[in-house]
């Protein structure tokens, strides 16, 4: 028996339309108007580990590891694992450092360009 943990080099959240359609919680989605300097909550299923010593990309996912280019550069401020009905989740807070308005490459691994 082992402990299943996923290491995430980015924060992948769903489009806000998933919340509006009632398919996801608000914390599982990218807010409509991301604002630089603002702190937002996040929620992810499973036990996830994030890098806490710098910026990482905020990307949009449609599931199955389908990811967009970075929507923003964020810093994870806290991440907590918890059980809900015997399922493991990770919740936390992230701060928006910069919002990207283009499709340029803004990261090379953990290095922000």
């Amino acid at each position: 028996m082992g402990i299943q943990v996923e290491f995430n080099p980015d924060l992948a959240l769903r489009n806000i339309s998933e919340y509006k359609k009632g398919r996801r919680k608000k914390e599982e989605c990218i807010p409509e108007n991301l604002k630089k300097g603002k702190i937002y909550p996040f929620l992810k299923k499973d036990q996830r580990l994030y890098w806490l010593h710098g910026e990482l990309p905020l990307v949009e996912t449609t599931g199955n590891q389908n990811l967009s280019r970075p929507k923003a550069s964020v810093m994870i401020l806290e991440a907590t694992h918890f059980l809900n009905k015997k399922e493991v989740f990770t919740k936390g807070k992230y701060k928006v450092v910069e919002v990207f308005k283009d499709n340029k490459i803004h990261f090379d691994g953990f290095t922000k360009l």
Side-chain angles (χ1 to χ4, degrees):
M1 180 177 158
I3 299 170
Q4 288 190 339
V5 177
E6 187 172 323
F7 291 84
N8 293 134
D10 51 35
L11 179 59
L13 300 175
R14 302 287 177 140
N15 186 284
I16 194 68
S17 65
E18 293 293 306
Y19 166 70
K20 291 179 179 179
K21 293 174 185 172
R23 295 195 284 235
R24 297 281 174 173
K25 293 183 179 182
K26 194 171 187 177
E27 296 83 8
E28 294 177 282
C29 302
I30 297 174
E32 274 187 273
N33 297 312
L34 280 175
K35 298 210 183 301
K36 180 179 177 179
K38 189 163 181 189
I39 296 171
Y40 299 93
F42 73 87
L43 176 67
K44 296 289 291 181
K45 190 174 182 300
D46 297 323
Q47 190 165 339
R48 298 170 184 261
L49 298 176
Y50 294 98
W51 186 49
L52 301 177
H53 285 285
E55 298 175 43
L56 60 144
L58 172 66
V59 296
E60 185 175 296
T61 181
T62 56
N64 299 318
Q65 299 177 354
N66 294 319
L67 305 173
S68 70
R69 288 220 188 257
K71 303 286 184 185
S73 176
V74 301
M75 291 186 70
I76 303 289
L77 302 177
E78 61 182 62
T80 304
H81 306 115
F82 68 99
L83 287 173
N84 183 9
K85 299 178 185 174
K86 297 187 179 183
E87 285 191 292
V88 178
F89 289 86
T90 303
K91 67 179 178 178
K93 294 180 182 175
Y94 64 96
K95 182 177 182 178
V96 177
V97 176
E98 183 179 351
V99 177
F100 304 131
K101 303 286 186 187
D102 55 38
N103 275 333
K104 292 181 183 175
I105 296 173
H106 294 279
F107 284 88
D108 181 10
F110 281 114
T111 304
K112 186 177 170 195
L113 303 176

